[in-house]
Amino acid sequence: MNFDLSDEHELIRSTVREFALERVAPVAAELDREHRFPYDLVAELAELGLMGIPVPDEYGGAGGDTLSYAIAVEELTRIDSSLAITLAAHISLGTMPILLFGTEEQKREWLPDLASGRKLAAFGLTEPEAGSDAGATQTRADLRDGQWVVNGAKIFITNAGTDISACVTITARTGEDEISNIVVPNGTPGYTISAPMAKMGWRASDTRELSFQDCAVPEGNLLGERGRGFRQFLEILDGGRISVAAMGVGLAQGAYDLAFEYAQERKQFGRPIGSFQAVQFKLADMAVEIEAGRQLVYKAAWLKDQGRPFALEAAMAKLYTGELSHRAANHALQIHGGYGFIDEYAISRLYRDQKVLEIGEGTNEVQRMVIAKLLGL
């Protein structure tokens, strides 16, 4: 076994780390406070070739592997979750369905703009009455005169309403017991995008409610085989869990970084609080769990890159790092004391951003259901 990263992976880490520290850290609090989407930073990520890391170069991507992608997401999240989820949702949920299930024509049409970061894509799965029970999808798409006519609504959708959003792939009922995936371009008549949703965290990311009223798209916008949508989005979620798990590790590491630095600077009773065992034990526990979580994430990514089954490891990584990030953010804020409760300190933002990591891409409870099933229970 070799736990050393390759030179390429180390370059990805150092490049993204430098970008996050120099370009993202100085503006992250302002973007969060103003609920402002970071167009300039997304453009810079695109220039670095990061918006299409796992997409083959023939479609305009970087041709990288899943581990490279996970490392990039992890390093961004150490500084800012809003930018990290913009990247992660664009790649895992927006771009990968087209790469995995699209026809060659669909790939040529959509992927060059998406992989280059010139455009963003979204994935519409969750509905007001269908969250964890995604099979309860109520949105319908009826085939009429060579067009899919879509009616329904989606909620909590990332990247659907920005100025550079190109399309959303939605799940819809195309028959009595049939769910399919359909690509709906932005600007299609009958497709309405709400104002940005106000959120506790991820405030600089784009989150919208979508509605479709007699929204007609060409029959050729069907993504993959008709009636295979349920299996397709389960496969998409398996891969997406690796990126959200990477966010969990990244946020935990970011919280640890802030707490460790503060513990060296803050003095009480005549010495740095980091010299007190109560604080040392919190930091020690955080360091141990972060290392364990990182190995779970990297193993899941490695398995996927090897073409081996990875669904169990991805679910384990997502569950563990979601709960890890909760504990780490809580310990880090406690170490900051009253200052951690003030927005002037970055740990306040990380604390708010953390909670959705236990909800998005399948709640902790759903992860346990998935793990239990894959264990054969």
Side-chain angles (χ1 to χ4, degrees):
M1 299 177 69
N2 181 2
F3 290 95
D4 289 331
L5 293 176
S6 68
D7 291 343
E8 180 181 347
H9 291 133
E10 291 289 4
L11 179 60
I12 287 282
R13 183 185 297 285
S14 61
T15 299
V16 179
R17 181 65 175 159
E18 181 180 0
F19 171 79
L21 287 171
E22 294 184 0
R23 299 291 299 123
V24 184
V27 298
E30 177 183 332
L31 292 169
D32 174 80
R33 184 171 57 252
E34 298 178 359
H35 296 231
R36 177 158 51 90
F37 187 79
Y39 287 103
D40 292 344
L41 296 178
V42 171
E44 292 184 47
L45 286 174
E47 290 177 8
L48 290 171
L50 299 174
M51 296 300 288
I53 293 175
V55 179
D57 53 14
E58 64 181 294
Y59 300 117
D65 58 14
T66 309
L67 182 54
S68 296
Y69 170 43
I71 290 170
V73 171
E74 175 190 348
E75 289 299 329
L76 283 177
T77 314
R78 285 178 72 171
I79 300 300
D80 182 55
S81 293
S82 290
L83 186 60
I85 190 57
T86 299
L87 173 82
H90 167 67
I91 293 177
S92 291
L93 302 181
T95 304
M96 293 308 290
I98 297 173
L99 177 63
L100 292 176
F101 309 118
T103 63
E104 189 62 28
E105 182 180 356
Q106 288 171 330
K107 293 176 184 178
R108 297 292 176 188
E109 177 183 0
W110 294 106
L111 291 181
D113 277 344
L114 300 181
S116 65
R118 292 189 294 269
K119 296 290 184 179
L120 296 178
F123 189 71
L125 173 62
T126 303
E127 298 185 358
E129 300 299 326
S132 296
D133 184 13
T137 294
Q138 296 179 12
T139 296
R140 294 197 57 84
D142 300 308
L143 191 57
R144 304 175 193 167
D145 301 323
Q147 292 185 312
W148 292 107
V149 180
V150 182
N151 286 279
K154 302 292 181 179
I155 198 168
F156 310 138
I157 309 305
T158 304
N159 290 341
T162 74
D163 294 344
I164 56 174
S165 296
C167 62
V168 60
T169 299
I170 63 165
T171 55
R173 293 198 170 276
T174 52
E176 188 63 31
D177 294 308
E178 181 180 277
I179 294 177
S180 303
N181 288 328
I182 296 171
V183 180
V184 180
N186 281 45
T188 302
Y191 172 27
T192 304
I193 302 171
S194 77
M197 303 183 78
K199 308 187 295 291
M200 179 174 75
W202 289 6
R203 290 178 174 176
S205 71
D206 181 75
T207 308
R208 310 276 183 147
E209 184 171 5
L210 317 179
S211 62
F212 305 89
Q213 185 171 4
D214 293 329
C215 174
V217 299
E219 184 177 359
N221 282 32
L222 179 72
L223 193 63
E225 185 180 340
R226 176 172 175 170
R228 299 282 293 180
F230 192 85
R231 290 181 178 273
Q232 289 171 0
F233 77 66
L234 287 180
E235 184 175 339
I236 291 298
L237 291 178
D238 284 341
R241 284 175 182 138
I242 295 176
S243 60
V244 177
M247 289 189 68
V249 171
L251 191 140
Q253 183 68 62
Y256 172 88
D257 294 341
L258 294 172
F260 187 91
E261 181 180 1
Y262 187 80
Q264 308 305 306
E265 297 174 351
R266 175 66 167 170
K267 292 183 178 180
Q268 290 288 278
F269 305 102
R271 53 188 172 133
I273 61 173
S275 66
F276 294 108
Q277 194 175 70
V279 173
Q280 292 175 348
F281 280 13
K282 282 184 170 61
L283 290 168
D285 287 345
M286 291 163 67
V288 170
E289 291 198 69
I290 290 167
E291 181 64 17
R294 182 174 288 118
Q295 297 310 318
L296 272 174
V297 175
Y298 288 9
K299 181 180 179 182
W302 179 81
L303 286 170
K304 186 174 186 295
D305 287 333
Q306 298 299 311
R308 293 165 58 177
F310 67 93
L312 175 61
E313 287 78 9
M316 287 178 169
K318 200 278 180 183
L319 171 63
Y320 183 80
T321 61
E323 296 187 347
L324 155 65
S325 63
H326 177 93
R327 291 188 292 271
N330 190 56
H331 282 328
L333 194 146
Q334 188 72 19
I335 289 171
H336 279 75
Y339 287 105
F341 200 66
I342 305 301
D343 281 343
E344 180 182 346
Y345 283 75
I347 189 58
S348 170
R349 173 168 49 85
L350 268 66
Y351 189 87
R352 288 186 285 103
D353 286 340
Q354 180 280 324
K355 185 58 190 175
V356 73
L357 297 176
E358 301 178 81
I359 298 171
E361 289 274 4
T363 63
N364 293 359
E365 292 77 14
V366 165
Q367 300 310 313
R368 287 183 166 88
M369 290 167 56
V370 170
I371 292 168
K373 182 177 181 181
L374 291 172
L375 290 174
L377 298 171

